[in-house]
Amino acid sequence: MRHGKKVNHLGRKAAHRKAMLANMACSLIEYKRINTTVAKAKALKQFVEPLITKSKAENNQSADKGTHNRRIVFKYLRNKYAVAELFSAVSEKVGDRPGGYTRIIKLGNRLGDNADMAMIELVDFNELYNADKPKKKTTRRSRRGGSKTVTPPVADKKTDDSEE
């Protein structure tokens, strides 16, 4: 039985799986979106989101913490250019987001072997999804103080019968 075993092995040995996820994470950080299978995208999401959290500025207040987090992320990614990009451009964009840095969009099936394909992307780098949505208001409403919603009065339509 598989009780308590959360890791998707993806049909690979541990070393191959870790190398593949590191390469996919570097590509995701560099290109901001990649196409892959759904299973690999879900595994990549679990792999890369803690690394993005470590790169955020609030976790790197002191020089010691910043250096420590860079070394931890480098241990997983093994690519200094991806680490530099993650700690500069990506961490600035996701600085105010409290998690959920990636989005998986299912694309359909691959022609050759009918595998389920998906696109995984960094949420804050997609201008099409973020352009039409206005910033959320940061007002909080009390549960017990009945919030009244005031609707503006509807203007009556004036008909022009004088033109006939």
Side-chain angles (χ1 to χ4, degrees), residues 82-141:
V83 173
E85 175 78 10
L86 179 65
F87 275 78
S88 62
V90 176
S91 66
E92 289 174 11
K93 279 264 194 158
V94 301
D96 56 343
R97 182 175 292 277
Y101 311 111
T102 57
R103 174 187 297 132
I104 296 175
I105 300 171
K106 295 185 181 178
L107 299 176
N109 295 339
R110 188 162 50 196
L111 283 178
D113 58 355
N114 210 30
D116 288 335
M117 296 299 288
M119 177 177 65
I120 182 168
E121 65 182 1
L122 296 175
V123 171
D124 291 314
F125 287 90
N126 187 341
E127 286 79 24
L128 296 177
Y129 272 41
N130 298 335
D132 57 348
K133 295 181 182 170
K135 280 278 196 187
K136 278 192 171 181
K137 287 192 252 179
T138 58
T139 59
R140 300 227 178 227
R141 291 185 180 90

Side-chain angles (χ1 to χ4, degrees), residues 137-150:
K137 287 192 252 179
T138 58
T139 59
R140 300 227 178 227
R141 291 185 180 90
S142 149
R143 292 180 80 187
R144 56 195 156 113
S147 62
K148 296 180 182 178
T149 57
V150 179

Side-chain angles (χ1 to χ4, degrees), residues 40-79:
K40 287 180 191 173
K42 288 179 180 179
L44 179 61
K45 183 173 189 153
Q46 286 182 337
F47 181 83
V48 80
E49 292 218 359
L51 302 181
I52 296 173
T53 302
K54 287 186 187 322
S55 75
K56 287 169 61 171
E58 64 192 30
N59 297 332
N60 298 314
Q61 295 292 333
S62 68
D64 293 338
K65 282 188 177 181
T67 305
H68 181 64
N69 283 337
R70 274 184 185 266
R71 288 177 177 166
I72 289 174
V73 170
F74 183 76
K75 180 179 82 168
Y76 287 104
L77 293 182
R78 294 175 255 170
N79 184 342

Side-chain angles (χ1 to χ4, degrees), residues 153-159:
V154 178
D156 293 331
K157 293 182 182 177
K158 295 184 180 180
T159 58

